[in-house]
Amino acid sequence: MADSTRHYFFVAKNTKTKTGYTIEFPTIPNLFASGVTYLEAVYYSYRVLSDFLKQLPHDEAALAAYTLSSIPDNKENTFYTIVSVPGDFDPHQMQTTFTIAQNLPEEIRRQADKLSHLVEYHKPVAL
């Protein structure tokens, strides 16, 4: 198993749907999680990512093939985050970082405002 002080980074595609959220990993085909609230979807995404990584061969090349390579542009009701995964793949130690492009302060505020309206932590969402 990998060293727990090492971290790997994965792109997560987050989509707000009529019934909640879906989180996919563009670099890992067919790996996704969903939940009614954003926190629920994040929790399940950490679990499926951990399970996937634990079944890979124990070498850096196999793991590196799935790590962060690029972040696509956001689309309607979709935003991207970066998931930091410790070397031991513990889902309880994973962290998500929202991505906002470097820009003028007004544009950063606009992007942050749009993101804040897409993320609901505690109640079901409606589009």
Side-chain angles (χ1 to χ4, degrees):
M1 186 161 296
D3 178 354
S4 65
T5 60
R6 172 84 160 91
H7 277 78
Y8 302 94
F9 298 92
F10 299 86
V11 173
K13 177 183 177 185
N14 305 263
T15 304
K16 184 175 182 179
T17 68
K18 291 180 181 179
T19 58
Y21 293 87
T22 299
I23 299 177
E24 303 169 78
F25 295 92
T27 58
I28 307 172
N30 303 314
L31 189 68
F32 69 94
S34 60
V36 174
T37 65
Y38 183 66
L39 282 180
E40 183 180 40
V42 168
Y43 172 80
Y44 289 128
S45 73
Y46 289 173
R47 301 297 299 193
V48 298
L49 182 57
S50 176
D51 290 346
F52 174 81
L53 296 173
K54 287 178 180 176
Q55 59 84 34
L56 289 177
H58 296 281
D59 68 64
E60 287 289 316
L63 186 57
Y66 295 104
T67 57
L68 178 66
S69 60
S70 67
I71 299 175
D73 291 333
N74 293 340
K75 296 195 179 353
E76 188 71 25
N77 295 324
T78 299
F79 58 97
Y80 289 85
T81 54
I82 299 171
V83 178
S84 172
V85 177
D88 62 1
F89 311 139
D90 181 356
H92 300 99
Q93 300 303 313
M94 293 182 187
Q95 292 185 342
T96 293
T97 302
F98 291 92
T99 60
I100 295 178
Q102 180 179 344
N103 216 316
L104 295 174
E106 301 81 41
E107 179 59 18
I108 291 172
R109 280 191 283 278
R110 188 191 69 71
Q111 290 178 33
D113 186 56
K114 181 179 177 186
L115 220 120
S116 72
H117 287 92
L118 283 174
V119 175
E120 297 286 342
Y121 282 100
H122 301 294
K123 61 182 180 175
V125 296
L127 289 180

